[in-house]
Amino acid sequence: TVGYGEAFWTSTSKTGADEEEQLPEHDGGHHSTTTTTNNTGGKASYGVDVSFPMHHGKVSNNYDWLPHNQDPGLTVPKEYVDMPVQPLGDRQQIYDDFIDDCVKFYGKRGHRCMDTERDRVDMALRQPQSMQNYTKVGYKKIRAPEKVWKLVKEFWERNNKEGKPEQWGVGNTYTNNWQSPTSMVSVEDRALRGAGGKLKQEIWTAASDTLGAWTGQELTQCSLYGIRVYTEGSILATHVDRMPLVSSAILNVAQDLDEPWPLEVIGHDGIATNVTMVPGDMVLYESHSVLHGRPFPLKGRFVANLFIHFEPTGHSLRHNMGLDPQQHDVDEAYRNSFENLQAGHEHENDALPPYIVPGTPEDSRWRRSHPEGFNKKKATSFTTGSSPAHVAAQAGDLNALKTHVGKDKHLVNKQDANGWTPLHEATRAGHLSAVKYLIEQGADPNVTAGDGGGTALWWAKKQHDEDDPIIAFLESIGAMDSGPEL
């Protein structure tokens, strides 16, 4: 558990900020910044670690009715210094119940619930401060572009009864899936009417112009699975997405609610806002740096949302249009970024993605796990903890793989320093015979690993064409398609 004094930063905020229903002017690169205060001056105000743990392992108990919050002239007691004001009551008990239910559900493996939580909080602390952002606030609610909405609505109307249960993995706390299961109506499931690569590409293409205009960046498509259906009582832990999910959109497809189920976002300005949505609404957000979640239980029957993710290429739209930023309506930060060739324009550092700021905590972390540099499809060296089975699987050397596994069966599911198993390596490299052999020997296809946090099937779909035999094989054995998207 992270102590309050160890936080990188905290913020206070207010709810109810009304977002305009239009795209903002692109405002250049901004780093996430927040301020710390105790006396917020209003019961509607609150900061991080109030509705749910975000920067620490516990929720604030600095209740708004305490004397030092009622009278700004009083000295703040030591135990409450730098702790956000808590106007929502005893949220710690709600969180404790959330975790206890996870631990009880998974029994002997319940410790993984806390492992997931530590990882979630670590990311929420480390990642936002390390990111290059492309908009001023980091999120925006609009009505979905007509073409996107038409494609998704028609698919949902034809297949809304065909959702398949999602497998979140042991100890996954991003949703309370043990209590309120989710299902997925996948646009990739070719058994569904209208599904497949063509529809997926049409949705991506239709959405890219909107997100590109909002960020001012050239974007490359990254992740789009399908429509996730949340059920009564669902909670979505507040988090940031794993890279390369950077420029993203949530489309509300359908819902049956007794009251709104708000998306809580904390933007680059440090303000937390509860955003309500109705079918056809789309929230654009910088998912790699904007904390987002739904910490209040869903009251109603269901909510169905589609998630669309892109990754910036490092080239700005203005640059590619040949515009001189000194002669156009752009702010000083944008011009400085252009002159310094930083992310948001021509990105010349092949070792680092354009959305990671050099010299930040994520810089060194990313370089360690990607020695091959940015945008290289395959690594040229193996990371710490790799075994001979990893090497053989990546090379597709079935004889060597059998030799190593025959000598030590534990190598089948051995994970390297980044969580990769031999099955991940064989899948990513496209060696079907190695994949089949590892499964026969007891490899777990549902281990999530790697910087993207995906299972073998997720990586297969990320790396290979949709008709690749590895994808068909993994699907045939019921492998879980799970990645960082939430």
Side-chain angles (χ1 to χ4, degrees):
T1 301
V2 181
Y4 271 91
E6 299 173 22
F8 286 110
W9 42 273
T10 58
S11 69
T12 57
S13 56
K14 60 182 180 181
T15 57
D18 189 20
E19 289 288 299
E20 295 181 357
E21 298 293 316
Q22 61 184 13
L23 290 175
E25 178 71 17
H26 171 64
D27 48 41
H30 291 262
H31 291 256
S32 300
T33 57
T34 55
T35 57
T36 300
T37 183
N38 280 284
N39 297 296
T40 61
K43 288 185 178 296
S45 298
Y46 69 88
V48 297
D49 298 321
V50 172
S51 61
F52 211 78
M54 301 176 201
H55 291 164
H56 308 87
K58 60 181 180 179
V59 181
S60 170
N61 63 351
N62 185 21
Y63 300 111
D64 56 356
W65 48 261
L66 290 171
H68 63 273
N69 288 322
Q70 293 293 313
D71 182 355
L74 295 178
T75 300
V76 177
K78 183 178 180 180
E79 62 268 31
Y80 297 119
V81 170
D82 293 333
M83 188 184 293
V85 173
Q86 175 57 271
L88 304 180
D90 189 0
R91 292 292 299 179
Q92 183 63 43
Q93 185 60 56
I94 294 172
Y95 177 68
D96 288 343
D97 292 342
F98 175 88
I99 294 300
D100 288 346
D101 288 346
C102 180
V103 172
K104 290 176 183 177
F105 182 82
Y106 289 108
K108 293 181 179 179
R109 299 180 292 176
H111 63 90
R112 296 194 188 179
C113 301
M114 297 310 302
D115 292 342
T116 303
E117 282 297 278
R118 279 189 287 270
D119 179 66
R120 180 183 64 83
V121 171
D122 284 346
M123 282 182 60
L125 285 166
R126 180 188 71 247
Q127 204 163 285
Q129 64 167 320
S130 301
M131 297 297 103
Q132 175 72 28
N133 299 311
Y134 303 99
T135 68
K136 185 175 183 179
V137 177
Y139 66 92
K140 187 74 177 180
K141 186 175 84 169
I142 63 171
R143 288 297 290 176
E146 183 177 351
K147 187 172 183 180
V148 175
W149 179 227
K150 183 175 184 293
L151 287 167
V152 176
K153 185 179 180 182
E154 288 180 355
F155 174 74
W156 170 254
E157 289 174 347
R158 298 176 71 183
N159 299 286
N160 61 70
K161 304 297 185 184
E162 305 301 326
K164 295 181 179 179
E166 285 192 284
Q167 302 297 322
W168 285 88
V170 175
N172 190 308
T173 55
Y174 279 78
T175 68
N176 55 338
N177 54 88
W178 53 87
Q179 175 184 331
S180 301
T182 61
S183 59
M184 178 68 70
V185 182
S186 175
V187 298
E188 299 173 323
D189 186 348
R190 283 167 284 184
L192 301 185
R193 288 173 291 178
K198 184 173 184 286
L199 173 65
K200 184 177 181 179
Q201 189 59 57
E202 286 177 343
I203 296 173
W204 252 327
T205 300
S208 63
D209 286 347
T210 298
L211 277 158
W214 181 57
T215 62
Q217 297 296 300
E218 263 191 6
L219 304 173
T220 183
Q221 55 200 39
C222 187
S223 174
L224 195 168
Y225 295 151
I227 300 170
R228 172 169 290 133
V229 182
Y230 298 91
T231 55
E232 185 173 9
S234 289
I235 290 173
L236 176 61
T238 306
H239 65 284
V240 291
D241 288 354
R242 295 184 186 276
M243 295 173 288
L245 308 187
V246 174
S247 304
S248 306
I250 302 170
L251 172 59
N252 182 236
V253 181
Q255 59 189 27
D256 182 6
L257 294 170
D258 296 327
E259 62 182 55
W261 191 42
L263 173 71
E264 185 179 272
V265 291
I266 298 183
H268 306 324
D269 55 3
I271 297 175
T273 304
N274 286 299
V275 181
T276 59
M277 303 177 71
V278 297
D281 281 349
M282 178 181 277
V283 172
L284 315 179
Y285 64 119
E286 299 196 78
S287 57
H288 67 323
S289 60
V290 168
L291 284 159
H292 57 282
R294 297 179 190 265
F296 306 101
L298 187 159
K299 295 184 178 180
R301 270 56 62 195
F302 76 92
V303 168
N305 289 333
L306 177 77
F307 300 86
I308 310 171
H309 299 281
F310 293 87
E311 178 183 23
T313 64
H315 299 270
S316 73
L317 294 179
R318 282 191 175 90
H319 177 92
N320 289 333
M321 290 187 292
L323 300 180
D324 179 357
Q326 296 291 346
Q327 302 300 320
H328 291 79
D329 184 20
V330 291
D331 62 19
E332 183 178 359
Y334 187 95
R335 289 196 296 268
N336 290 340
S337 181
F338 183 90
E339 291 165 356
N340 295 328
L341 294 175
Q342 293 176 339
H345 301 280
E346 291 298 296
H347 180 72
E348 295 188 342
N349 183 359
D350 287 338
L352 204 62
Y355 41 84
I356 297 179
V357 176
T360 59
E362 199 64 46
D363 177 343
S364 57
R365 179 184 175 89
W366 197 93
R367 291 176 191 270
R368 286 195 303 271
S369 60
H370 296 81
E372 74 278 13
F374 176 59
N375 207 28
K376 304 299 188 295
K377 293 297 183 183
K378 294 183 180 180
T380 56
S381 61
F382 285 86
T383 189
T384 302
S386 291
S387 70
H390 286 83
V391 178
Q394 197 278 340
D397 189 338
L398 187 58
N399 290 332
L401 184 60
K402 289 181 177 180
T403 297
H404 297 309
V405 173
K407 292 179 179 179
D408 185 356
K409 189 67 176 287
H410 291 95
L411 292 178
V412 168
N413 286 307
K414 180 175 173 56
Q415 293 178 278
D416 65 18
N418 293 320
W420 285 73
T421 66
L423 182 60
H424 284 98
E425 295 289 359
T427 299
R428 180 174 65 166
H431 301 305
L432 178 60
S433 59
V435 169
K436 288 184 174 180
Y437 172 74
L438 288 165
I439 292 295
E440 291 170 359
Q441 297 303 308
D444 183 357
N446 297 330
V447 172
T448 57
D451 189 64
T455 60
L457 180 54
W458 185 85
W459 279 103
K461 290 182 176 181
K462 180 179 175 65
Q463 295 291 120
H464 308 305
D465 294 334
E466 63 181 34
D467 58 353
D468 191 282
I470 290 180
I471 295 176
F473 171 71
L474 290 173
E475 288 180 336
S476 73
I477 64 170
M480 180 174 66
D481 177 1
S482 177
E485 177 186 343
L486 293 166

